[in-house]
Amino acid sequence: MHYQTISVIGLGYIGLPTAAVFASRRVKVIGVDVNKLAVETINRGEIHIVEPDLDKVVQEAVNGGYLRASTTPEPADAFLIAVPTPFKGDHEPDLSYIESASKAIAPVLKKGDLVVLESTSPVGATEQMAAWMAEARPDLSFPQTDGEASDIRIAHCPERVLPGQVLRELVENDRVIGGMTPKCSDEAVALYKTFVEGECVVTNARTAEMCKLTENSFRDVNIAFANELSMICDKLDINVWELIQLANRHPRVNILQPDPGVGGHCIAVDPWFIVNKTPEQVKIIKCARIVNELKPAWVIDKVRTEISEHLKQNPQMKDHEVKIACFGLAFKANIDDLRESPALAITCQLAESHTGSILAVEPHIENLPAITPSNLMLYDMESAILEADILLLLVDHNQFRNLNLKGKRFIDTRGIWQFKNIHKSND
Ligand code: SAJ
């Protein structure tokens, strides 16, 4: 490969594993991040994010001299930009991190360099990134003006890895590579083939951008369908988990699972990039987002109803004496990531609105986040089952399966308690 040195800009959940995997193939990698603490941590061979096995890969890469982190960009042959693309205001994409990254690397670019945008981006972001770099470096030519003859090659190659399985998926997943010209695509394919065992499928930059947004919107729409079903079934006194399992026995039906609200920083964000670009055309994608966003409030309402029922049956009890245990705070099962977690949001909102204690059970963490209401306490599972009047299952962690909940009042938003009870008449 003719790329001797690669620079990865943004050393977060995508950038750091990508940098480490390149380095594990004995390519010299310079990781760049504005977070000084992250840079220092990585240079010690340690990591500042949670991802299984990443610590070992980073440690080996740093100790072997293949990975080094810095707060300022340095010359390299290929640059990968993996910075956040959140939204702002009325769900408008915020490209300011891409803008800063492209302006930061512009001074060190040289003829023959490749720049790949990995961040999930709205359609047109790769062209915009190229325009920012061209503005900063009028002495170099770029594909938008010089096509195949350009000094700098530019492509979009969206990351598609699942948090928790990043190291395996980085290597095994197919990659969609959208170059601004065919030559840009070819160069990017050569770069990714350093470690990608999946297929590198070539298209243009706009299609690659839309492809990533489509994947996450597909998931969002399908989860919204499951969430809507869960609310319909609740009204009709049907067990939604059983219903979905039965419907999925049809050879062409594959419904996803309802949840208390879609979490993470991807599936709940990316559909808005499509909505924002084509507001006149979107119907289903926007509606799905709204259905999923309303689900946490629906769960909180269910808890309120359950509190009233409990008080009716125990007239001697006062509202502030009712203890609620929330099972799970992470944004999905079997991880410790609390960022953008509907489970955490629901638990905190309950703690704010309920006068009694909220017992949070999250076996994957040792301390609650700093800003949580004072009536919210981290509890172990057994004590919570024993002490709480109402149990609320929010995350389907393995630890929460097969519990003895005999005689307990509970709300199950994931179907691991409720479904079991239907088939076990002796419970
Ligand atoms: N969820 C459900 N029901 C389901 C499946 C998931 O409610 O049947 C919920 C989860 O509980 C969670 C949320 O969806 O709250 C998202 O979880 P996830 O595991 O489906 O996905 P993420 O956000 O961890 O990662 C997604 C992945 N995209 C797709 O599967 C299409 C991943 O491949 C992307 O790389 C990642 O977004 C990203 O970075 O965009």
Side-chain angles (χ1 to χ4, degrees):
M1 197 192 61
H2 58 283
Y3 295 110
Q4 304 293 324
T5 306
I6 295 172
S7 183
V8 178
I9 317 295
L11 296 172
Y13 278 79
I14 301 302
L16 182 57
T18 305
V21 171
F22 267 114
S24 73
R25 303 302 194 263
R26 296 172 180 273
V27 178
K28 194 176 154 212
V29 182
I30 305 163
V32 180
D33 202 294
V34 288
N35 180 347
K36 201 165 165 260
L37 216 64
V39 165
E40 285 167 3
T41 308
I42 295 162
N43 283 335
R44 282 198 307 272
E46 294 165 14
I47 60 174
H48 62 296
I49 56 171
V50 181
E51 180 61 35
D53 301 325
L54 182 62
D55 49 351
K56 279 175 250 148
V57 187
V58 168
Q59 194 183 40
E60 275 172 33
V62 173
N63 289 349
Y66 289 103
L67 174 62
R68 181 169 56 80
S70 167
T71 50
T72 45
E74 296 174 25
D77 306 312
F79 295 84
L80 265 70
I81 297 185
V83 294
T85 41
F87 57 64
K88 56 183 180 187
D90 189 20
H91 300 113
E92 298 144 36
D94 176 2
L95 298 188
S96 59
Y97 295 93
I98 299 182
E99 183 176 3
S100 313
S102 37
K103 288 181 176 168
I105 63 166
V108 297
L109 285 179
K110 60 182 185 317
K111 191 174 166 104
D113 282 357
L114 167 70
V115 182
V116 181
L117 178 63
E118 278 224 9
S119 314
T120 302
S121 301
V123 172
T126 309
E127 291 160 19
Q128 174 64 73
M129 178 186 80
W132 279 319
M133 288 189 291
E135 203 183 307
R137 288 298 300 271
D139 55 317
L140 290 170
S141 61
F142 287 79
Q144 62 271 33
T145 46
D146 291 66
E148 296 293 38
S150 67
D151 293 334
I152 305 295
R153 310 267 172 228
I154 293 180
H156 179 54
C157 178
E159 60 83 12
R160 302 158 103 188
V161 287
L162 195 69
Q165 300 186 27
V166 168
L167 289 173
R168 184 178 61 76
E169 290 209 352
L170 264 179
V171 174
E172 290 179 7
N173 287 4
D174 291 344
R175 295 298 293 240
V176 172
I177 294 183
M180 282 184 71
T181 67
K183 221 170 177 169
C184 295
S185 298
D186 292 347
E187 297 279 339
V189 170
L191 176 70
Y192 281 97
K193 273 295 168 194
T194 311
F195 67 83
V196 171
E197 287 169 14
E199 214 176 309
C200 290
V201 192
V202 166
T203 180
N204 58 38
R206 294 174 78 84
T207 310
E209 288 161 343
M210 189 61 184
C211 183
K212 171 62 195 269
L213 303 182
T214 301
E215 291 159 13
N216 280 353
S217 298
F218 170 85
R219 256 336 238 180
D220 198 43
V221 168
N222 282 278
I223 296 170
F225 181 71
N227 275 336
E228 187 162 295
L229 277 180
S230 75
M231 295 184 270
I232 293 169
C233 286
D234 186 68
K235 267 264 179 278
L236 300 179
D237 200 18
I238 291 169
N239 182 304
V240 70
W241 318 99
E242 184 184 21
L243 173 82
I244 290 174
Q245 210 171 83
L246 295 174
N248 282 351
R249 283 177 174 256
H250 186 286
R252 284 174 296 284
V253 175
N254 189 11
I255 305 167
L256 292 178
Q257 299 299 305
D259 64 2
V262 177
H265 11 265
C266 312
I267 293 182
V269 173
D270 301 355
W272 288 116
F273 292 172
I274 301 179
V275 174
N276 179 267
K277 251 316 171 238
T278 50
E280 298 295 317
Q281 284 71 33
V282 285
K283 300 278 182 293
I284 295 170
I285 295 172
K286 186 172 181 183
C287 186
R289 205 61 309 279
I290 292 166
V291 170
N292 287 334
E293 281 190 350
L294 289 173
K295 192 72 190 290
W298 183 85
V299 173
I300 291 172
D301 264 2
K302 296 263 24 134
V303 179
R304 293 217 175 98
T305 310
E306 214 58 44
I307 296 173
S308 305
E309 287 296 316
H310 190 71
L311 289 172
K312 252 190 241 158
Q313 283 178 15
N314 299 277
Q316 79 293 351
M317 223 177 176
K318 300 272 175 295
D319 186 77
H320 70 268
E321 290 168 338
V322 180
K323 285 186 184 170
I324 303 164
C326 295
F327 282 69
L329 297 177
F331 92 82
K332 62 178 177 179
N334 306 319
I335 61 164
D336 64 353
D337 194 344
L338 305 189
R339 296 171 311 153
E340 311 298 331
S341 167
L344 178 65
I346 289 170
T347 306
C348 289
Q349 275 179 46
L350 278 174
E352 273 155 19
S353 62
H354 180 58
T355 48
S357 305
I358 305 288
L359 321 178
V361 183
E362 179 46 84
H364 296 278
I365 61 167
E366 271 154 30
N367 297 302
L368 284 174
I371 319 158
T372 41
S374 58
N375 57 336
L376 177 59
M377 289 156 275
L378 194 59
Y379 249 62
D380 71 87
M381 196 159 67
E382 285 73 25
S383 316
I385 296 173
L386 216 61
E387 283 186 34
D389 302 290
I390 299 167
L391 313 181
L392 170 64
L393 180 86
L394 292 168
V395 186
D396 46 342
H397 288 320
N398 288 342
Q399 291 93 328
F400 300 159
R401 292 173 191 271
N402 305 315
L403 300 179
N404 181 6
L405 303 178
K406 203 172 169 187
K408 292 306 278 195
R409 187 182 278 280
F410 66 78
I411 301 165
D412 176 3
T413 68
R414 295 282 184 171
I416 63 172
W417 292 347
Q418 215 171 326
F419 198 14
K420 178 188 118 185
N421 284 356
I422 282 176
H423 296 288
K424 284 200 175 171
S425 50
N426 290 338
D427 258 13

